[in-house]
C-alpha cells in the first residue's frame, strides 16, 4: 500500500487503533528491544490484524517514528504552555526552566535502549527536518502570547530550542556514561538559566 492510500486517523475508531498500535509497540520495545520487534507481534499485542496495521503504518520503523513524533509533539506543546503561563512583561520566570528541561528529558520515557530506538527511528524517518519543524511550530505557538523580556533573535531562538535537545540526545546515544538523570537535569538547568540571564542583561544594557 502506498503512502497516498494509507489511511489517516481522522475518526475516533481510527485514532483508537493507531493509539493501540503505538502503545503495543512501546510495550514490546521495552520488553524485548528493537531487534525482537516485528509488525506481527505489534499487531497481535494491539489486537488488530497485520493488514489493519499496514493501513496506517508502512512498517516497524514507521511505527517507531510515529511513536517518537507523537511524544515529541506532546513535549513541544507542553513547553509552549509553560512558557506562556510563566512569562510576564519585562522578565520571564526562570523557575520555569526546570519544568521545561524536565519535560524534554522525560519526553521519551522507557529504558535507555527504548529512547535510543525512538530517536533513531525519528531521525531516520524525518532527519533534521523533524527538529526544525518542531522549532518553527513552537515559536508560532508562543508568538504574541509570551513576554520573554529579551530580544529573541533567530540565533538566540536556535540556541534555546536546540541546546537542551542536543545534549539530551547525546546523553541517550552515549549511554555508557551512565549519567545520573537528576544531576544532568541540574546541569542543564544551570546552563539555560545562565544563558537566559545573559540575554536579559544584554536587553537591559
Amino acid at each position: 500500500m502506498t503512502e497516498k492510500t494509507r489511511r489517516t486517523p481522522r475518526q475516533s475508531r481510527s485514532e483508537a487503533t493507531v493509539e493501540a498500535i503505538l502503545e503495543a509497540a512501546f510495550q514490546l520495545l521495552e520488553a524485548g528491544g528493537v531487534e525482537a520487534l516485528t509488525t506481527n507481534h505489534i499487531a497481535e499485542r494491539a489486537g488488530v490484524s497485520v493488514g489493519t496495521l499496514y493501513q496506517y503504518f508502512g512498517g516497524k520503523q514507521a511505527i517507531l517514528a510515529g511513536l517518537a513524533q507523537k511524544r515529541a509533539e506532546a513535549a513541544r506543546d507542553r513547553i509552549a504552555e509553560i512558557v506562556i503561563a510563566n512569562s510576564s512583561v519585562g522578565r520571564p520566570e526562570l523557575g520555569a526552566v526546570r519544568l521545561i528541561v524536565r519535560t524534554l528529558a522525560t519526553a521519551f520515557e522507557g529504558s535507555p535502549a527504548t529512547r535510543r530506538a525512538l530517536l533513531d527511528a525519528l531521525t531516520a524517518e524525518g532527519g533534521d527536518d523533524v527538529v526544525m519543524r518542531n522549532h518553527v511550530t513552537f515559536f508560532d505557538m508562543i508568538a504574541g502570547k509570551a513576554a520573554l523580556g529579551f530580544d529573541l533573535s533567530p540565533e538566540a531562538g536556535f540556541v534555546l530550542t536546540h541546546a537542551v535537545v542536543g545534549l539530551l540526545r547525546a546523553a541517550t546515544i552515549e549511554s555508557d556514561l551512565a549519567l545520573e538523570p537528576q544531576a544532568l537535569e541540574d546541569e542543564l538547568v544551570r546552563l539555560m538559566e545562565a544563558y537566559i540571564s545573559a540575554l536579559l542583561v544584554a536587553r537591559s544594557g
Side-chain angles (χ1 to χ4, degrees), residues 14 16 19-20 22 32 40 43 46 65-66 69 88-89 98-99 106 115 131 134 144 149 155 159 173-174 188 191 199:
S14 296
E19 186 63 34
L22 295 179
N40 285 331
Q69 181 62 27
S88 58
V89 176
R98 185 171 294 276
L99 291 176
T106 58
R115 295 197 299 273
V131 177
N134 280 318
E155 293 76 16
V159 171
I173 293 171
E174 300 175 42
L188 292 173
L191 173 69
L199 290 175

Side-chain angles (χ1 to χ4, degrees), residues 111-128:
S111 67
T114 292
R115 295 197 299 273
R116 175 68 182 273
L118 293 178
L119 281 170
D120 287 348
L122 188 61
T123 302
E125 190 79 4
D128 293 333

Side-chain angles (χ1 to χ4, degrees), residues 175-198:
S175 57
D176 289 346
L177 294 176
L179 300 175
E180 201 281 314
Q182 186 57 58
L184 179 59
E185 177 184 301
D186 292 342
E187 294 306 314
L188 292 173
V189 169
R190 191 195 314 273
L191 173 69
M192 296 310 295
E193 286 186 342
Y195 183 66
I196 292 172
S197 294

Side-chain angles (χ1 to χ4, degrees), residues 42-157:
I42 295 170
E44 182 180 1
R45 174 65 66 93
V48 301
S49 69
V50 174
T52 296
L53 181 150
Y54 277 107
Q55 289 177 348
Y56 298 100
F57 297 100
K60 178 175 75 173
Q61 286 302 110
I63 294 172
L64 293 179
L67 179 59
Q69 181 62 27
K70 178 183 177 182
R71 296 190 174 185
E73 290 174 354
R76 179 202 66 205
D77 294 351
R78 173 59 182 146
I79 291 169
E81 292 175 358
I82 293 170
V83 170
I84 293 169
N86 288 275
S87 66
S88 58
V89 176
R91 185 175 182 84
E93 295 291 336
L94 288 180
V97 172
R98 185 171 294 276
L99 291 176
I100 293 170
V101 169
R102 188 166 295 167
T103 299
L104 287 169
T106 58
F108 295 146
E109 59 186 280
S111 67
T114 292
R115 295 197 299 273
R116 175 68 182 273
L118 293 178
L119 281 170
D120 287 348
L122 188 61
T123 302
E125 190 79 4
D128 293 333
D129 286 347
V130 174
V131 177
M132 184 186 72
R133 287 196 301 270
N134 280 318
H135 169 87
V136 172
T137 301
F138 170 75
F139 282 107
D140 285 344
M141 292 173 70
I142 67 170
K145 299 177 182 178
L148 298 176
F150 52 81
D151 295 326
L152 189 62
S153 66
E155 293 76 16

